[in-house]
Amino acid sequence: MRNSTPEDREPSRNPATLAARSEAAREDPDAAVRLAALQSLWADRAGHPEVTDLVRASAEGDPSPGVRRRAAWLLGSAAP
């Protein structure tokens, strides 16, 4: 068994977890899954500037009006 690193133990810092959540936010056929992935990514956005771009893309182009609204709200919640 290999030694785990802090990145392995903390989902917000694990690149594989970030990639999986990003893929789910972009591509899952279920709007509820896309929404949950976006919210999870948003909570862990510190240190991951690409998350803002992904949320912006969802706000502008997700097929679900509910996901688009929530993504726009997330972006607005970060306004100074």
Side-chain angles (χ1 to χ4, degrees):
M1 176 182 241
R2 73 178 180 89
N3 292 333
S4 65
T5 66
E7 289 79 18
D8 293 333
R9 294 186 300 269
E10 187 176 333
S12 66
R13 296 177 63 197
N14 184 322
T17 302
L18 183 71
R21 291 183 291 163
S22 296
E23 181 178 341
R26 285 188 315 269
E27 300 176 15
D28 198 278
D30 187 330
V33 171
R34 293 192 309 276
L35 181 58
L38 282 175
Q39 292 181 154
S40 173
L41 286 163
W42 192 252
D44 294 333
R45 71 188 179 280
H48 301 288
E50 67 275 17
V51 168
T52 300
D53 295 336
L54 189 147
V55 173
R56 185 175 294 111
S58 293
E60 294 171 355
D62 192 274
S64 165
V67 173
R68 289 192 309 267
R69 279 192 303 271
R70 184 63 175 175
W73 183 89
L74 290 171
L75 291 167
S77 72

